[in-house]
């Protein structure tokens, strides 16, 4: 064991014979075709607090491209369509089963936390993977994010 590990165990009262914990995770990819995507969902509208889920998402691109504004953006569902994206397919239309699964998880999290959350997710070949969630305070959001909170896929 290294010096830091020995010191940490001593400080925290962890016996040497307990061994070392290891986390093994598989990677998931949101860029594997039309049935894959990745995104960040808000359980409420971050601009108004309205109980209307909104999503930043994209298909076949890196998430960084979304935040840079260089990815196409589609609405999550009919409720989040506006004048600029009315003509685009929503996640609800393009991936109805996955949309329902994401919406059900959103409802469970909203009931548990009673606060606005951002939820990071990846859809790999039609399977939804929840990556993490955290509470979000409105002051943490940049105003520019409010302008393009949505679901995105490439055609």
């Amino acid at each position: 064991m290294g010096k830091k590990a020995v010191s940490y165990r001593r400080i925290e009262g962890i016996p040497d014979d307990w061994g070392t914990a290891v986390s093994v995770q598989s990677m998931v990819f949101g860029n594997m075709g039309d049935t894959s995507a990745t995104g960040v969902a808000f359980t409420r509208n971050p601009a108004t607090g309205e109980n209307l889920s909104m999503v930043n998402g994209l298909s076949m691109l890196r998430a960084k491209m979304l935040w840079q504004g260089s990815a196409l953006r589609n609405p999550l569902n009919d409720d989040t369509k506006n004048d600029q994206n009315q003509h685009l397919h929503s996640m609800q239309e393009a991936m109805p089963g996955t949309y329902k699964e994401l919406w059900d998880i959103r409802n469970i999290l909203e009931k548990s936390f009673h606060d606005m959350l951002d939820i990071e997710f990846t859809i790999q070949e039609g399977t939804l993977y929840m990556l993490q969630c955290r509470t979000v305070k409105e002051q943490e959001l940049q105003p520019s994010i409010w302008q393009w909170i949505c679901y995105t896929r490439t055609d």
Side-chain angles (χ1 to χ4, degrees):
M1 261 188 284
K3 285 188 204 179
K4 287 183 181 180
V6 171
S7 295
Y8 178 80
R9 286 174 176 264
R10 183 178 40 78
I11 291 166
E12 297 298 326
I14 301 172
D16 292 336
D17 60 347
W18 276 14
T20 302
V22 176
S23 294
V24 178
Q25 297 176 300
S26 65
M27 294 291 292
V28 293
F29 300 92
N31 62 350
M32 298 185 77
D34 290 339
T35 60
S36 299
T38 188
V40 177
F42 294 92
T43 59
R44 300 180 194 171
N45 181 324
T48 66
E50 181 183 6
N51 192 11
L52 177 66
S53 190
M54 307 195 71
V55 174
N56 285 332
L58 58 151
S59 172
M60 301 180 67
L61 298 168
R62 293 188 341 217
K64 182 178 180 183
M65 295 176 79
L66 177 73
W67 295 107
Q68 291 173 337
S70 60
L72 294 172
R73 293 168 197 80
N74 294 50
L76 173 66
N77 54 33
D78 291 339
D79 293 333
T80 57
K81 285 192 174 190
N82 58 38
D83 292 341
Q84 289 80 27
N85 63 21
Q86 192 71 25
H87 65 287
L88 301 173
H89 291 290
S90 67
M91 181 181 180
Q92 186 178 23
E93 295 165 335
M95 301 178 181
T98 308
Y99 167 81
K100 182 184 179 328
E101 187 178 2
L102 179 62
W103 189 258
D104 290 345
I105 291 168
R106 171 246 182 247
N107 289 336
I108 291 167
L109 292 169
E110 180 72 20
K111 283 180 185 177
S112 296
F113 286 90
H114 305 287
D115 202 354
M116 181 170 50
L117 304 169
D118 77 31
I119 307 165
E120 293 183 25
F121 67 94
T122 294
I123 303 163
Q124 180 178 311
E125 297 178 324
T127 301
L128 175 65
Y129 295 90
M130 301 306 294
L131 305 178
Q132 70 175 349
C133 74
R134 67 183 181 118
T135 58
V136 176
K137 301 299 177 211
E138 290 181 33
Q139 63 270 21
E140 291 177 349
L141 295 172
Q142 299 171 9
S144 61
I145 292 174
W146 297 346
Q147 297 171 8
W148 39 270
I149 292 171
C150 56
Y151 167 78
T152 305
R153 67 188 294 267
T154 57
D155 291 319

